[in-house]
Amino acid sequence: MKISFIKIIKENSIEALSLIIVIMIWQLVADGIVQNNFLLPSFYDVITSFFALVKNGLVFMDIFISLLHFSLGITAALIIGIPLGISMGWFKKVNRAVDPIIEILRPIPPLAWIPFAIVWFGLTHQAAGFVVFVGMVFPIVINTYTGFKNVPKVNVEAAKVLGCTQNVKLIRFIAIPSAMPSIVAGIRIAMGVGWMCLVAAEMFGASERGLGYQLWFNYYLHRMNFVVVYMLLLGFLGLFIDHFFRYYVDAKLLKWTAGTVV
Amino acid sequence: MGRVSVINVSRTFIKKEDKSETEALKKVAFDVGNGEFVCLLGPSGCGKTTLLRIIAGLETLTSGEITLNGIPITGPDPKRGMVFQQYSLFPWRTVMDNITFGLEMQGIKKVEARIQVEKYIELVGLGQFKNSYPFELSGGMQQRAAIARALANEPEVLLMDEPFGALDAQTRNILQDELLKIWEQKHVTFLFVTHSVDEAVFLSDRVVAMTSRPGRVKEIVDINLPRPRCRTGPEANRLRDYILKLLEEERLKR
């Protein structure tokens, strides 16, 4: 146990050293040069603020609320985006009907939907979830569609001569597995976009709780040390979600792509 | 039982843009008896692959008819297995699961199907690789797996579209030997498209030589050589020479 711990430190020594140096520079600059807690809170300030938040438990509630908004958005985006992408990719006529609508809606920045999110849903979790949904749904639709377009014809034909001839079966057994790397890549892109939309939606008041809301609230109070805490929390949570997805999904779902370039 | 009759089959492709017509096949007619090994041979672009795809049910015909045991072919069917020139294994399935695919489509449970296909995996010599993914296999092994996958459905006819075309010469010879062994064991009807005269003479009972486009049957050559065959025997060489001359005539006509 002890040996493996030392080994980890040894193996990651350059990374760890680099982090420590950056933190030291930050602390020195904040303390020695800027000397203004409003312009640049020091590392020490941020850490004590963080522990204060942990102590009164408020931070866990906000993490929970933000994750709730995020899961509302991602669930809706998956439920609508994947079937839509599938039907566009498999049925030419659906693509012709839906594509113009998507091409008009897609360039609208998701944040431009915030006023309507509030008008339609009020200051609720659904409103924030809706903005996340708008940010996530397009990358998911488009990557699912692309994945379906690129299903090798020879695989479809091979399946047909093996007795898999109905559309439903072809989609389920051939097109979906074949398109999976593309779909997964779309979801990963969407998660990055969705995370940004989440923070913005909460900041602009589409919700009364959450990490983004707290970040903005503390800015109004000029408590910049807390603003940094929430910034870092958002960064780490985003990183965590992405890594969880990358290691879990890639290892489980996409073993077979190890030999291909995706 | 796998008796294939090709009756006056024509196929014309019409380009969408300028409505120009290309005649790929013109009144092609021949019969393939049950358990026979027939090679389709012809200059490139003569429509031999198109004909095979029509028999598989992946392509439609403009006029004429193709029957299997007297019943007209309308679409793809597991009774007519096919091995493609390109690597067609499903990359997301292991070798084993590729081979069970056809049985799963018939509604047989995966566990059951795995037991059933074991003999086909052994037949093509992939026992060691049954849990590997296609990307881990060489080209020759992939085509072996594709043959096993087609055989697992117990087809009456096995259609092969230049299955060894992408392989190196040595692997090709080995797979030809193995294919003949499989054919002798299973005794299904084999219809094999190739552009290699050597391959056709070594493998088949009869060679259907086709003309250049539009493809017609130029001549059906019986290969009455005893099996196992010698690739370089005088009789084989004489037949090879004869078929090569047939193809050369086609080349000069163009």
Side-chain angles (χ1 to χ4, degrees):
Chain A
M1 184 68 200
K2 205 177 169 187
I3 295 165
S4 74
F5 182 68
I6 291 168
K7 208 174 146 200
I8 287 172
I9 292 183
K10 263 188 187 165
E11 274 173 1
N12 299 303
S13 55
I14 294 180
E15 290 86 343
L17 203 67
S18 151
L19 267 177
I20 290 167
I21 288 173
V22 167
I23 288 172
M24 274 166 64
I25 293 173
W26 173 14
Q27 180 71 28
L28 286 175
V29 169
D31 251 3
I33 302 171
V34 180
Q35 292 185 338
N36 183 334
N37 202 8
F38 182 67
L39 282 182
L40 183 64
S42 73
F43 177 69
Y44 181 73
D45 282 344
V46 170
I47 288 295
T48 44
S49 318
F50 173 69
F51 282 115
L53 281 180
V54 171
K55 213 172 181 184
N56 68 20
L58 205 69
V59 66
F60 298 112
M61 192 62 190
D62 284 309
I63 290 176
F64 172 75
I65 297 283
S66 281
L67 288 177
L68 174 70
H69 294 161
F70 189 70
S71 15
L72 279 175
I74 194 173
T75 310
L78 290 175
I79 289 175
I80 293 175
I82 290 181
L84 192 63
I86 287 175
S87 36
M88 282 170 70
W90 198 257
F91 304 104
K92 263 211 175 94
K93 283 189 178 149
V94 175
N95 181 39
R96 284 178 58 190
V98 178
D99 191 54
I101 304 167
I102 286 190
E103 284 311 306
I104 290 169
L105 291 181
R106 194 165 65 102
I108 301 173
L111 306 186
W113 288 90
I114 291 177
F116 270 107
I118 296 173
V119 172
W120 286 341
F121 297 100
L123 296 181
T124 58
H125 300 313
Q126 289 90 314
F130 176 74
V131 179
V132 176
F133 160 76
V134 175
M136 292 188 84
V137 74
F138 294 110
I140 292 177
V141 168
I142 285 161
N143 268 52
T144 308
Y145 168 77
T146 314
F148 262 63
K149 278 276 120 184
N150 293 334
V151 175
K153 199 174 151 218
V154 69
N155 283 155
V156 176
E157 289 184 338
K160 280 184 180 167
V161 292
L162 287 167
C164 177
T165 45
Q166 297 146 289
N167 273 325
V168 183
K169 275 190 165 181
L170 282 170
I171 289 174
R172 182 173 154 209
F173 290 105
I174 305 301
I176 290 183
S178 174
M180 199 46 97
S182 176
I183 298 176
V184 166
I187 296 173
R188 184 172 302 148
I189 297 166
M191 290 208 301
V193 180
W195 195 241
M196 282 186 238
C197 294
L198 167 83
V199 176
E202 287 175 354
M203 277 169 63
F204 284 104
S207 153
E208 289 178 301
R209 295 304 298 256
L211 294 170
Y213 172 82
Q214 291 293 357
L215 189 142
W216 204 240
F217 182 69
N218 278 289
Y219 160 69
Y220 278 135
L221 299 179
H222 286 200
R223 302 202 308 199
M224 298 313 276
N225 45 343
F226 284 96
V227 171
V228 177
V229 171
Y230 283 110
M231 281 168 68
L232 289 176
L233 269 175
L234 282 165
F236 278 117
L237 265 177
L239 185 77
F240 177 75
I241 293 172
D242 189 59
H243 270 235
F244 172 76
F245 193 77
R246 182 169 300 176
Y247 289 113
Y248 185 77
V249 175
D250 280 13
K252 286 258 167 190
L253 225 54
L254 302 177
K255 241 192 304 187
W256 59 272
T257 58
T260 55
V261 182
V262 181
Chain B
M1 266 283 277
R3 196 163 32 79
V4 180
S5 304
V6 179
I7 308 155
N8 291 331
V9 169
S10 301
R11 175 70 168 110
T12 310
F13 288 103
I14 300 166
K15 260 197 187 153
K16 261 186 196 161
E17 300 94 54
D18 52 357
K19 299 255 157 53
S20 67
E21 293 187 0
T22 314
E23 216 175 11
L25 296 168
K26 195 174 178 184
K27 294 212 178 280
V28 177
F30 60 90
D31 285 309
V32 183
N34 185 32
E36 206 179 2
F37 199 131
V38 170
C39 273
L40 282 172
L41 189 67
S44 91
C46 74
K48 51 195 190 299
T49 293
T50 307
L51 180 61
L52 200 74
R53 288 171 56 83
I54 295 173
I55 300 172
L58 295 171
E59 193 83 65
T60 54
L61 38 71
T62 315
S63 69
E65 193 176 49
I66 294 174
T67 61
L68 174 62
N69 303 325
I71 302 155
I73 285 166
T74 51
D77 191 292
K79 273 187 210 156
R80 283 165 275 127
M82 181 146 174
V83 180
F84 296 82
Q85 180 179 14
Q86 311 99 300
Y87 300 131
S88 64
L89 292 182
F90 306 129
W92 57 90
R93 284 173 166 248
T94 59
V95 167
M96 169 76 102
D97 291 346
N98 260 286
I99 300 172
T100 58
F101 184 83
L103 295 176
E104 283 173 54
M105 289 304 114
Q106 289 173 30
I108 294 166
K109 286 218 177 69
K110 213 168 191 165
V111 190
E112 178 82 7
R114 283 194 173 147
I115 300 165
Q116 282 192 35
V117 302
E118 200 72 55
K119 57 174 185 268
Y120 294 102
I121 295 176
E122 291 307 321
L123 189 68
V124 295
L126 284 177
Q128 229 186 310
F129 294 96
K130 61 184 176 191
N131 293 320
S132 305
Y133 283 94
F135 77 86
E136 298 167 297
L137 304 182
S138 70
M141 289 196 271
Q142 290 201 34
Q143 286 309 64
R144 280 193 191 128
I147 292 167
R149 181 174 69 175
L151 286 172
N153 262 351
E154 310 214 316
E156 289 165 349
V157 184
L158 193 58
L159 308 167
M160 309 188 93
D161 181 13
E162 301 190 29
F164 309 144
L167 305 178
D168 64 88
Q170 285 168 37
T171 314
R172 214 176 161 149
N173 285 358
I174 295 166
L175 280 182
Q176 285 167 0
D177 289 331
E178 287 180 4
L179 189 69
L180 284 178
K181 262 184 224 146
I182 291 168
W183 175 64
E184 271 151 25
Q185 276 186 38
K186 292 276 148 197
H187 245 273
V188 288
T189 310
F190 272 46
L191 203 51
F192 192 106
V193 164
T194 180
H195 55 246
S196 157
V197 178
D198 298 13
E199 193 167 60
V201 170
F202 182 67
L203 291 175
S204 53
D205 294 327
R206 283 192 298 154
V207 173
V208 177
M210 292 177 72
T211 64
S212 51
R213 195 169 52 224
R216 274 165 291 126
V217 177
K218 184 175 174 69
E219 193 175 324
I220 297 177
V221 184
D222 286 307
I223 313 287
N224 285 320
L225 298 176
R227 295 175 193 272
R229 286 173 180 171
C230 174
R231 285 174 197 276
T232 48
E235 266 304 287
N237 276 338
R238 196 191 55 77
L239 279 164
R240 209 182 289 170
D241 195 46
Y242 178 71
I243 296 170
L244 278 169
K245 286 211 170 95
L246 282 179
L247 294 179
E248 206 161 321
E249 280 171 32
E250 283 309 306
R251 213 172 53 223
L252 293 174
K253 249 189 352 196
R254 275 190 148 173

